[in-house]
Amino acid sequence: QVQLVESGGGLVQAGGSLRLSCAASGSIFSINAMGWYRQAPGKQRELVAAITSGGLTNYADSVRGRFTISRDNAKNTVYLQMNSLKPEDTAVYYCSARGPKGYWGQGTQVTVSS
């Protein structure tokens, strides 16, 4: 089993920045990729960014150039640096980990005011 704990969400004005953190524990050796998803009210959950164990990254078109995903293997933590935030970035952000199984964090709310 893998446990994921997110932190760093909050309320920010448009144009501002936030950094989300996701700390993994448990059977972390089984993880080969981690990512961030988000779900806005009335919408489906969507991929925001992902990073493999080898450091390869992938971003949604809507956030490319504004968000950066990174990982600190020593701390078993993945980060999502979000800059130039827009009201449409408002959502619950979920950390995910993938290996033989998939795992989700509890989610953290990000609200961007206009």
Side-chain angles (χ1 to χ4, degrees), residues 1 16 22 25 29-31 42-43 67 79 105 112:
Q1 289 286 356
C22 174
S25 61
F29 60 86
S30 67
I31 298 173
K43 295 188 177 181
F67 291 10
Y79 304 97
V112 184

Side-chain angles (χ1 to χ4, degrees), residues 10 12-16 18 20 37-41 43 46 48 62-64 66-67 80 82-93 108-113:
V12 64
Q13 288 188 333
L18 283 174
L20 305 183
Y37 287 72
R38 67 186 181 187
Q39 188 167 19
K43 295 188 177 181
E46 62 177 359
V48 176
S62 59
V63 307
R64 187 174 290 113
R66 299 188 296 123
F67 291 10
L80 185 67
M82 305 185 294
N83 299 329
S84 302
L85 282 160
K86 304 175 181 180
E88 51 263 45
D89 294 318
T90 295
V92 178
Y93 284 69
T108 185
Q109 177 71 46
V110 171
T111 302
V112 184
S113 63

Side-chain angles (χ1 to χ4, degrees), residues 7-81:
S7 60
L11 173 64
V12 64
Q13 288 188 333
S17 299
L18 283 174
R19 189 177 80 156
L20 305 183
S21 300
C22 174
S25 61
S27 302
I28 56 176
F29 60 86
S30 67
I31 298 173
N32 52 44
M34 295 186 70
W36 290 94
Y37 287 72
R38 67 186 181 187
Q39 188 167 19
K43 295 188 177 181
Q44 290 187 330
R45 191 172 297 190
E46 62 177 359
L47 174 68
V48 176
I51 186 166
T52 69
S53 57
L56 296 176
T57 58
N58 183 38
Y59 295 93
D61 289 342
S62 59
V63 307
R64 187 174 290 113
R66 299 188 296 123
F67 291 10
T68 303
I69 189 169
S70 61
R71 62 192 297 165
D72 184 334
N73 290 330
K75 296 182 178 180
N76 300 319
T77 300
V78 171
Y79 304 97
L80 185 67
Q81 178 66 44

